[in-house]
Amino acid sequence: MTLLVDFGGRHRIISYSVVLVHLSEEAVWKMPLFKRKPFDLAKPPEDLEPSDLVYQVRFTKEIFRDYQEYLNRINLYRQRVWMCKSTGKSNLTYEEAMVMEKNAIQKVQQLPNDLVAPALRIIQFSMLSLRDLADLVTKKLQKDLFVGAELYGKKDDGLYPCRVLKIVENGVGKMQYEVALLGENKKITENAILHGEDLVWKKTPFNRKILKSFIRESTCRSIPWVLHEKLAQKHGISTDLPEELRSKFFLQGGQLVNRTKKRKNENRNNVGEANGESGKSKRNKGETGKPDASKEENNQPEDEPVKYPIDDLLVKPGPDDPLFTDRPSPSRDFNVPMDCIGDLLMVWDFCSSFSRVLNLWPFSLEDFENAICHKDSNLVLIVETHSALLRILIKDDGEYSLALQNKKRKSKISLITWTEYVCDFLEMINVTELCSCMTTIKRGHYGLLDANAKLGILRELVCHALETDLIRGKLDDLIEQRRALGATVRGEALEYARKKREEKEQLKGESNGLEVKENSMESTGSNPHMAENGEENGDMVEEVISSRQSNAFVNSRKQLNGQSKRGEKQKLDPKVEAENITNSNEKEAQKQLTGEKKEDQEKKSKEKREQRKEYFKREMEKRSIRTNPLGKDRDYNRYWWFRRDGRIFVESSDSKQWGYYCAKEEVDALMSSLNPKGERERALQQQLEKFYPRISLELQKRSKDLAQKIALEEAVLRRSTRVRAPPRENPANAFLKYVNKWKED
C-alpha cells in the first residue's frame, strides 16, 4: 500500500508498512484543544487494499482514503483555532500548538523528582485560581530542600555557594542539612552542617510559568483541581474528597460532579419532558426533527470549503478556474555544459555586484560565457577576472598571501605571470579535480581546459574572496546603508501619518464649531431684532404665569416664536434678499477655489511621495547584498532574474537542468500559466507582477540590441572577401575587445 504524505508542503508516496512501524514507535503526547475542547483524531479507514492510494497528515499520522476529507482536515489544522493545553496559549495552528505543548512538557519534566510529590499534595482539591495556586506552590516548595539542590549557605558572616549532600534530622524536630561548600569550577572545598534558615536559593529550579504547565498537565479538571487518578496513586496521594467540599461536590463514575449544576440540569430536563421533548433532544435535533448527525460524531467539525492558497500539488482543476495558457518551454541553447550554468551565473553575478571593489570593469553574461568557451590562453577578460580575484586574496593577508611570501612572489600580477598565481592558489586549496589541471596551465595552455575546470577554478576563487575582510567590510557597509534607508523611509511614513491625523483632527474641530454655530443661530432665529422681541414677549409672559402653567407657557412660546419667524420671512426686503444670495454665491465660489487648491496640493504631495518611494527603491537595489530567486512553480522549479542581464532563468528542482526566457511574450505566457490557488505559484506570480515593468523594459532593450547585432552580422557576410572585416569587429566576438577600464596601476 502507498501513501501520499504531507512533508512541510511537499507530498511524497511511502509504503504503508513503514508508517505502521513509525506509528508504533511514536511517543504519546497530549493533543491540542479545538476551541478549548478535546479533539479526537480520525480513525484509520478499514478494509484497505494494497493498491489503494491513501493520504496521510505528516504531524498527526492520520490516514484518509478520500482526498477531500484529507484536504478539509489539513485546512482545519492550518486555522488559528487551536489551543495548547499545557501553556493555555490560544490562536494557534494545530502544529504550532503541538510543538508548544511538546516543549512545555519537556520543561515540566525538568522539575526535580523530590519536589513532584509535595507539589501534587498542594494541588490536589485546591480551590485557588491557577495563578494563586502556582504562587502558593512556589512559596511552599522554596522551603523544601532536597539532595543535590545548589544554594547559597551562610557561614562565618559570609555567603558561599553550596550543594545539599544529606538531610539530617535532630531530636528537636528541626531539619539540618549536610552541605558541601563549592569553590571555583564547583570543586568541593569543605563540608558543613547548616540549618534551613541559613540556606538561600541561588536560583529556584522552577518558576511560575513551569508550575502552571505542571498543574495543567497533572490535573483532569480545575477548581477544584483534581489530579489524574494514576498519577495520584503513583505518589501515594489520597483521591478521597475532603470534608469541606462534600457539601458542594460528589464523585460519580470516577468524576467530580458539582451538586448545584447537577440539580439545575435535572430541573431543566424535567421541564423539557413536561413540554413533550427534553432540552437535550431539542438541541440535538435539526429542522427536520431528526437527530443532528454532525454533532454526534465526537465533536468532529463539518466539512468546510477549501481556503486558497494551498499547496500547489493539492490544487485540482475547478469549474471557476480561468483559462490557463500552456507554459512556454524555456530556451536551452547555452554554450557551456548544462551542469556548469549555476557556476557561470554565480561567478558572473559576484563579479558584477562587486565590480567596484574588485576594480573590474563590468561585462555581459554572453561575453563571459563566450570567453569561457574560447580557446585563447591569454584572453583579456579571463585574465582580468582571475587577477582581480587573486588581488583580493593577496590584500587580505591570509593563507594565500603567506603562501606567496614563502615563494617570494611579487604582489603585481601581469599578463605573463597570472597563471603562476593561479597554480599557487590551486596548490593551497588542494582540490583533486582542479589540481589535475595544473600541468596544462603551467605549460601555457589554459585555453585548452574544459568549461567545467575553468568555472571550477573561478568558483573556488569567489568562495575564498567572500571570506576576505575587504568583501565582508563592503557587505557590512551595504547592510548599514540599507538600514539607514529603511529608517528614513519609516520616519517619513510616520511623519506623513502624523500630519494626516492632525489634519483630520483640525477638520473635525472645524465641523464641530460650525455645528455649534448653526444650532445657536437656529435657537435665536435668523433675525436678531425678532429674537429680541421674542425674548421681551417671553419675559412679560413669565411675569404673569404661575409655576403650575409652565408647560403650557413653553408650548405657547414656541408657537409665538414660530409665528414671528414666518412673519419676518414675509416682511424681508427684496434688496436684503438679493444681498444674501450674492454673499452666498461668493462664499460658494471661494469654497470651490479653496477646494481646487487643496486638490492640487494633495496631488502634488502624492506625486512627491511616489517619487520618493521610487528613489528609495532604486537606492535599495543599488545596495543589493545578494540575488534571490523570484520564486518557485508547482514542481519546485526556481526562477531567477538578474537585473544586469534581463533574461529570466529557470532552474530545475534538482539543479541539473537550466533554461531561460528572453522575450516579453514568453514572460506574459508564463504569468498566464501560473495558478494563484497554489502557494508557490501565487508568490511567484506576485513577484513577476512586481518586477514586470522592469523585466519588460530590459527584455525589449535586449531584443533591440539582438536585432542590431544580427543586422551587423548580415552586413559583414554581404561584404566581399577583399574588404571583409577582421574577426574582432564581428559583434559576436565583442568579448575579444574587452578592456578593464578600472584596472589598478
Side-chain angles (χ1 to χ4, degrees), residues 195-211:
H195 294 284
E197 56 268 17
D198 295 331
L199 294 173
V200 182
W201 277 102
K202 176 183 178 181
K203 182 182 179 182
T204 56
F206 49 82
N207 55 34
R208 182 192 292 168
K209 189 175 181 181
I210 292 176
L211 283 176

Side-chain angles (χ1 to χ4, degrees), residues 164-345:
V164 177
L165 299 178
K166 187 179 179 181
I167 300 174
V168 182
E169 292 186 10
N170 56 10
V172 184
K174 288 188 176 181
M175 303 294 291
Q176 290 184 333
Y177 302 91
E178 183 181 347
V179 299
L181 301 180
L182 305 177
E184 293 183 0
N185 299 324
K186 295 187 177 181
K187 291 183 178 179
I188 299 175
T189 57
E190 61 174 304
N191 291 357
I193 302 292
L194 298 177
H195 294 284
E197 56 268 17
D198 295 331
L199 294 173
V200 182
W201 277 102
K202 176 183 178 181
K203 182 182 179 182
T204 56
F206 49 82
N207 55 34
R208 182 192 292 168
K209 189 175 181 181
I210 292 176
L211 283 176
K212 282 184 176 180
S213 299
F214 175 76
I215 294 168
R216 289 193 183 98
E217 288 295 325
S218 56
T219 56
C220 58
R221 67 157 292 160
S222 60
I223 309 179
W225 299 91
V226 181
L227 299 177
H228 293 291
E229 188 175 357
K230 291 183 179 180
L231 184 64
Q233 292 175 357
K234 179 181 177 181
H235 293 278
I237 299 172
S238 174
T239 56
D240 295 335
L241 197 63
E243 190 67 32
E244 61 271 14
L245 296 179
R246 290 179 183 176
S247 60
K248 298 181 181 178
F249 302 92
F250 67 95
L251 290 171
Q252 184 179 8
Q255 300 291 327
L256 200 65
V257 181
N258 191 321
R259 293 182 184 275
T260 308
K261 289 184 178 179
K262 176 78 172 176
R263 196 177 297 114
K264 287 182 179 178
N265 291 335
E266 289 176 354
N267 293 336
R268 191 182 298 114
N269 290 337
N270 291 334
V271 172
E273 289 173 1
N275 293 331
E277 192 174 28
S278 66
K280 183 177 179 180
S281 62
K282 285 181 180 179
R283 289 192 300 271
N284 291 337
K285 288 186 178 181
E287 295 178 358
T288 60
K290 296 181 180 180
D292 190 356
S294 64
K295 295 185 180 180
E296 292 180 356
E297 296 179 354
N298 294 328
N299 220 6
Q300 297 295 329
E302 297 180 359
D303 291 347
E304 297 182 5
V306 180
K307 293 184 179 180
Y308 296 104
I310 60 174
D311 186 84
D312 298 69
L313 296 178
L314 298 177
V315 177
K316 291 189 176 181
D320 57 339
D321 289 345
L323 183 63
F324 296 111
T325 60
D326 294 332
R327 189 160 302 173
S329 298
S331 303
R332 304 188 189 276
D333 53 342
F334 297 104
N335 294 331
V336 299
M338 189 64 70
D339 57 345
C340 297
I341 304 299
D343 291 340
L344 178 79
L345 292 171

Side-chain angles (χ1 to χ4, degrees), residues 621-682:
E621 289 175 0
K622 288 179 185 177
R623 293 157 178 79
S624 177
I625 299 172
R626 64 180 181 183
T627 303
N628 293 319
L630 293 172
K632 301 177 183 178
D633 62 11
R634 172 188 173 89
D635 301 317
Y636 293 93
N637 298 317
R638 287 178 287 273
Y639 290 76
W640 298 82
W641 179 60
F642 301 93
R643 293 186 296 274
R644 302 172 186 86
D645 182 78
R647 290 178 288 181
I648 292 180
F649 290 85
V650 186
E651 178 188 9
S652 64
S653 58
D654 57 1
S655 302
K656 292 182 179 179
Q657 290 291 323
W658 286 82
Y660 65 87
Y661 298 118
C662 60
K664 181 176 176 293
E665 294 75 17
E666 291 178 332
V667 177
D668 294 338
L670 169 65
M671 294 176 66
S672 301
S673 68
L674 298 175
N675 192 340
K677 289 184 176 180
E679 293 172 342
R680 293 186 293 280
E681 294 201 350
R682 170 176 285 196

